[in-house]
Amino acid sequence: MSKIDQLAAVFRDHVGVGWPSSSSGAQRVIMIVYDPNEERALRKKMGLFAQAAQSQQHAWHSVDLTTAFADWLGAHRYRESYFDEPEMLAAGANERFTDYAAGIVLRALERPQHTPRELVGLIGAASVFGAVSLSDILARVEYAIKGRLVVFFPGRTRDGRYRLLDARDGWDYHAVAIQVESSGVRQ
């Protein structure tokens, strides 16, 4: 069984247990932590996670941040200036892009169909790396999570600290981490 298949199986078992309705927004986040080298394999098998949710009588909805930065920058009125002087992006544009990316996730979470029985799968977290902090995006959407937000997280975690793409200092987060280690599955 591949690591992605193992992750999907542990995820299925985890969502089958249920959860208390009194959980905070941060506690309603499930991080599917995987090796960044497994990104293509994970994307190919995304359907396994939808099937896992549905097998436990949960609705599933996906949202993708993969093209968010390109879409935001391409539509920006100052895009030519940013292309000419990319360092200008660090001068306040990061905050605007964080709002834009959070807005994409919020639209999924604020749909009338988003109920306490729905899981929203967020793919493309690696795409915001270097532009904004994933933790800032999550902090802006936590209040709107009625069911669960399932973040596909290419990186690693240890003791509640998450490192996106293993490349920068991690941040503390109260999410449930689901990951596969070489010695087996850890939840």
Side-chain angles (χ1 to χ4, degrees):
M1 182 183 291
S2 77
K3 288 182 181 180
I4 304 304
D5 293 318
Q6 291 175 31
L7 282 171
V10 174
F11 172 71
R12 181 197 63 235
D13 294 344
H14 177 76
V15 299
V17 172
W19 47 74
S21 60
S22 61
S23 301
S24 70
Q27 294 169 324
R28 292 174 183 258
V29 176
I30 300 170
M31 297 283 215
I32 305 293
V33 182
Y34 59 96
D35 185 311
N37 295 323
E38 297 281 332
E39 181 75 20
R40 289 178 56 195
L42 180 114
R43 285 178 177 265
K44 183 178 178 183
K45 294 186 172 191
M46 282 296 295
L48 290 176
F49 295 91
Q51 291 170 359
Q54 292 162 352
S55 75
Q56 301 298 324
Q57 287 71 53
H58 292 287
W60 178 266
H61 181 77
S62 295
V63 62
D64 192 346
L65 291 179
T66 302
T67 64
F69 187 74
D71 296 342
W72 173 79
L73 188 57
H76 202 285
R77 67 180 181 188
Y78 297 121
R79 68 181 170 266
E80 296 302 324
S81 297
Y82 289 145
F83 292 145
D84 291 339
E85 299 178 54
E87 64 277 0
M88 288 176 51
L89 281 169
N94 290 5
E95 189 70 22
R96 291 188 295 277
F97 176 63
T98 301
D99 287 340
Y100 178 84
I104 292 170
V105 179
L106 280 173
R107 281 191 290 285
L109 294 172
E110 293 177 339
R111 298 174 5 270
Q113 301 90 339
H114 181 55
T115 69
R117 297 284 308 159
E118 182 183 61
L119 294 108
V120 174
L122 175 63
I123 191 76
S127 302
V128 303
F129 182 77
V132 297
S133 170
L134 178 62
S135 64
D136 289 344
I137 293 170
L138 295 178
R140 293 176 192 206
V141 304
E142 288 175 350
Y143 73 91
I145 304 170
K146 295 176 190 159
R148 290 294 183 263
L149 179 63
V150 181
V151 179
F152 291 90
F153 189 86
R156 62 183 156 142
T157 184
R158 176 171 284 189
D159 301 325
R161 291 193 61 78
Y162 291 85
R163 292 183 57 150
L164 184 63
L165 298 175
D166 297 339
R168 84 166 41 161
D169 288 338
W171 82 95
D172 289 333
Y173 204 68
H174 299 288
V176 172
I178 295 175
Q179 59 188 329
V180 175
E181 295 179 350
S182 56
S183 60
V185 176
R186 185 174 125 188
Q187 179 179 350

